[in-house]
């Protein structure tokens, strides 16, 4: 079995393929195909949910609840998501996209070698793509808004600004037309040279700066998209956005919009959940 060929980076939501393997599972059977447009949730950094949709043949159709990462060892051991026992790219393992079904036992027609059509829920994909692009833009705008609070060099982000996002982000969860990011403002960040006290005292000002920057970027209608090093699920992918300040490029396995003109607006809200935890909530209004 070869690594799954994926086409979601180009925006594809429909594909014809051949079933490579089918595994029954109490949480939902998992189907592997040779080539898929489905984006899977990453089991190591599950920021963007996997695509949902359908698998269809002339004999019937079945719902895909979510696409997931899967892997099979050279001796035939099959694992899904958090149960994968090795790191991505480990020798002796082949990496796959699994399509988790809404049934524990696959239908009789869904067998190895069957020709199938895969259809992604396009509206959900578009919402998640807007949410993911907005999440990256919000993080870059956050870095700009707090750049004056560093007393030491923390390293640079994709636009060359001090990388608060890379230093402080603990979790990121993307949903349709938005995201929620959590940042740790603890002792290690203060030792790295960040003025957490001034930040907490000027939160409304920082929020306003972020939203002004996001409004300017949305108005630019900048091109956005995914670059790939190859066609399989384990090949590296990068998000690139041609912002007025320069091209922002970062490693990213998710899906994204093709242009910022797809946004009506992107706004964020900042909240100190406790003295050491910042939550940034990003909300998208699609273009009319």
């Amino acid at each position: 079995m070869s690594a799954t060929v994926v086409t979601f980076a180009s925006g594809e939501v429909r594909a014809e393929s051949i079933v490579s393997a089918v595994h029954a599972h109490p949480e939902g059977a998992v189907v592997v195909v040779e080539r898929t447009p489905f984006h899977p949730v990453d089991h190591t950094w599950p920021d963007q949910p996997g695509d949902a949709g359908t698998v269809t043949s002339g004999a019937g159709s079945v719902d895909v609840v979510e696409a997931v990462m899967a892997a099979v060892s050279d001796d035939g051991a099959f694992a899904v998501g958090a149960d994968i026992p090795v790191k991505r790219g480990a020798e002796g393992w082949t990496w796959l996209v699994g399509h988790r079904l809404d049934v524990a036992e696959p239908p009789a027609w869904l067998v190895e070698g069957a020709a199938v059509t895969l259809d992604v829920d396009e509206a959900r994909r578009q919402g998640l793509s807007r949410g993911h692009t907005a999440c990256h833009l919000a993080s870059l705008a956050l870095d700009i808004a707090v750049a004056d609070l560093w007393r030491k060099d923390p390293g640079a982000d994709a636009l060359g600004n001090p990388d608060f996002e890379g230093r402080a982000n603990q979790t990121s969860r993307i949903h349709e037309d938005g995201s929620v990011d959590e940042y740790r403002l603890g002792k290690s960040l203060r030792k790295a040279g960040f003025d957490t006290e001034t930040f907490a005292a000027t939160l409304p000002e920082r929020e306003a700066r972020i939203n002004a920057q996001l409004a300017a970027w949305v108005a630019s209608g900048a091109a956005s998209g995914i670059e790939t090093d190859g066609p399989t699920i384990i090949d590296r992918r990068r998000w690139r956005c041609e912002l007025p300040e320069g091209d922002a490029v970062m490693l990213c396995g998710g899906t994204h919009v093709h242009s910022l003109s797809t946004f009506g607006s992107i706004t964020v809200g900042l909240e100190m959940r406790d003295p050491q935890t910042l939550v940034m909530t990003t909300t998208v209004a699609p273009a009319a």
Side-chain angles (χ1 to χ4, degrees):
M1 186 181 297
S2 300
T4 305
V5 172
V6 293
T7 58
F8 58 80
S10 67
E12 187 170 286
V13 292
R14 183 181 176 90
E16 309 292 328
S17 195
I18 303 296
V19 175
S20 303
V22 183
H23 296 270
H25 194 282
E27 295 180 7
V30 176
V31 178
V32 177
V33 299
E34 294 176 359
R35 174 179 182 271
T36 183
F38 279 71
H39 167 261
V41 60
D42 190 311
H43 62 297
T44 59
W45 184 255
D47 55 347
Q48 180 174 336
D51 282 332
T54 59
V55 177
T56 307
S57 79
S61 181
V62 64
D63 289 337
V64 176
V65 176
E66 186 175 36
V68 295
M69 285 298 301
V72 61
S73 70
D74 288 350
D75 59 8
F78 181 79
V80 175
D83 293 333
I84 298 172
V86 295
K87 292 183 178 180
R88 189 189 304 266
E91 187 175 349
W93 288 78
T94 300
W95 292 83
L96 311 165
V97 175
H99 305 76
R100 189 178 291 282
L101 308 182
D102 65 346
V103 291
E105 295 288 339
W109 54 266
L110 196 54
V111 294
E112 185 176 343
V116 294
T117 301
L118 299 108
D119 286 288
V120 173
D121 181 334
E122 188 170 5
R124 182 171 183 270
R125 160 75 72 78
Q126 290 174 347
L128 290 172
S129 295
R130 288 190 297 265
H132 205 147
T133 302
C135 180
H136 284 342
L137 292 171
S139 73
L140 292 171
L142 173 61
D143 285 349
I144 293 172
V146 301
D148 61 303
L149 298 177
W150 289 99
R151 294 186 297 271
K152 301 177 184 178
D153 181 6
D157 69 7
L159 287 176
N161 298 303
D163 193 7
F164 176 83
E165 171 77 18
R167 283 280 186 166
N169 189 285
Q170 298 296 298
T171 63
S172 182
R173 292 294 182 267
I174 293 156
H175 54 81
E176 292 181 61
D177 289 323
S179 63
V180 179
D181 288 84
E182 186 173 299
Y183 301 86
R184 181 72 173 171
L185 308 182
K187 190 174 183 180
S188 61
L189 194 67
R190 292 193 295 274
K191 283 187 174 181
F194 188 75
D195 185 350
T196 58
E197 291 78 12
T198 299
F199 176 64
T202 57
L203 207 62
E205 176 190 340
R206 309 291 166 175
E207 181 181 298
R209 288 186 194 178
I210 296 168
N211 285 324
Q213 181 65 75
L214 290 170
W217 284 342
V218 167
S220 76
S224 164
I226 305 169
E227 301 173 338
T228 66
D229 286 349
T232 76
I233 190 58
I234 58 170
D235 289 308
R236 284 194 168 191
R237 296 178 294 279
R238 290 169 296 278
W239 171 71
R240 177 184 291 271
C241 190
E242 299 173 8
L243 296 171
E245 294 81 357
D247 286 3
V249 183
M250 62 180 72
L251 288 173
C252 180
T255 64
H256 289 278
V257 302
H258 68 277
S259 168
L260 303 195
S261 64
T262 61
F263 296 108
S265 66
I266 305 171
T267 56
V268 305
L270 301 181
E271 175 191 1
M272 294 299 300
R273 181 169 293 167
D274 59 53
Q276 295 189 340
T277 307
L278 169 72
V279 177
M280 180 168 70
T281 302
T282 303
T283 303
V284 167

